[in-house]
Amino acid sequence: MPDKITIAVSKGRIYDEAMPLLAKLDIVPLDDPNKTRKLVLETNQPHIRLLVIRATDVPTYVERGAAELGISGKDVLMEYNGDDLYEPIDLGIAKCRMMLAGLKDAKPITGRPRVVTKYTNITKNYFAELGQQVEIIKLYGSMELGPVLGLSDWIVDLVDTGNTLKANGLVTLEHIADISSRLVVNKAAMKMKNATIKPILDQLSEIVGK
Ligand code: ATP
Ligand code: PRP
C-alpha cells in the first residue's frame, strides 16, 4: 500500500505550470480549482491529493507536516527562511527575477532610501549584505505604485517581461535573485514515507532534467 501523500500548491501561475509536470507522473486532479470551491482536490491516484492554498502558505503547511510535498516559488522560500524543509528539485517553472527598481526619471535621493516591498526579509538581507541603510515599507501588492506616488524611492519585486515596470514608468536597477518554483519536502515525511516519496522525486528530477 503506498503512503498517503498531500501536495500543497498555490492556485494560478504555479498550479497552471505544475499540473503538466504532475500529469507526466500520471497524477491528475479530479477537479479544476477554478471551477470548484473545494480546497482539497482528490487525484486519479487514490493515495495522492492536492491542497490548493495561498502561495505564501505552502512552506508552512509542508514544514509542519500538514502536507508532505509542496510546490513553492523561490521568492516565497527565501522570504520564509524555514530550516525544516528539503528543497531537492528546481522545477524550472514560474521563472522570473527578483529586482530592485526605481523611477525612470528619478530625482537624486536625499537621506535613507525608502523601499516598498512585500519581501521585507529578502530586502533587509540584500541591503544588509551591501552595508546600506534603507527604510523598508511593507506593502501587500501593487508595489510599482510606491515610487510613482512618492511613497518610496525604490521597490523590490518580481519582474518577468518587464511590462508592469514599464507601464508605470519604472526601470530595473539591480538584480537580486533568479526565481523559479521548487519542490519542497517535509523532512520527517522524507524518512517515514520514503518508499512513496522517493519515486516521485526521481521521476520529477528526470522530467525536469536535473
Ligand atoms: P498570493 O496568493 O499570496 O496573492 P501571488 O499573487 O504572489 O500570491 P502568483 O502571482 O500566482 O501569486 O505568484 C506565485 C509565484 O509565481 C510567485 O511566488 C513567484 O514565484 C512566481 N511569479 C510571480 N510573478 C511572476 C511573473 N510575473 N512571472 C513568473 N513567475 C512569477
Ligand atoms: C507579478 C509581480 C509584478 C509582475 C511582473 O505580479 O508582482 O507586478 O508580476 O511581471 P511582468 O514583468 O511580466 O510585468 P502578478 O502578475 O503576480 O500580480 P499580483 O502580484 O497582483 O498577483
Side-chain angles (χ1 to χ4, degrees), residues 23-65:
K24 288 187 184 162
L25 272 64
D26 192 28
I27 301 170
V28 180
L30 300 182
D31 280 297
D32 175 348
N34 297 314
K35 294 187 184 147
T36 176
R37 298 290 299 166
K38 283 185 200 166
L39 301 173
V40 179
L41 306 184
E42 301 300 327
T43 73
N44 61 327
Q45 304 282 347
H47 65 292
I48 300 181
R49 59 185 188 165
L50 301 183
L51 212 56
V52 184
I53 55 179
R54 291 287 295 265
T56 43
D57 290 336
V58 170
T60 308
Y61 274 79
V62 177
E63 186 169 37
R64 290 175 174 271

Side-chain angles (χ1 to χ4, degrees), residues 112-204:
R112 258 194 325 169
R114 295 156 305 153
V115 191
V116 297
T117 187
K118 71 175 174 186
Y119 300 100
T120 52
N121 293 333
I122 294 173
T123 303
K124 196 169 66 183
N125 294 339
Y126 174 73
F127 284 106
E129 267 186 29
L130 293 178
Q132 185 171 1
Q133 297 263 355
V134 295
E135 182 185 348
I136 298 171
I137 303 164
K138 170 115 186 175
L139 287 182
Y140 292 86
S142 306
M143 267 76 77
E144 292 83 1
L145 280 176
V148 177
L149 295 185
L151 183 62
S152 73
D153 301 293
W154 297 330
I155 72 170
V156 167
D157 195 14
L158 299 174
V159 178
D160 179 20
T161 61
N163 288 341
T164 311
L165 290 184
K166 199 170 167 204
N168 292 289
L170 301 175
V171 289
T172 56
L173 301 172
E174 300 291 340
H175 175 272
I176 298 176
D178 284 322
I179 303 295
S180 55
S181 291
R182 315 297 165 103
L183 185 79
V184 287
V185 186
N186 174 268
K187 279 194 178 169
M190 187 76 181
K191 293 197 191 93
M192 308 292 289
K193 299 189 174 181
N194 192 268
T196 309
I197 290 177
K198 177 87 175 12
I200 296 177
L201 300 193
D202 289 347
Q203 287 177 68
L204 270 176

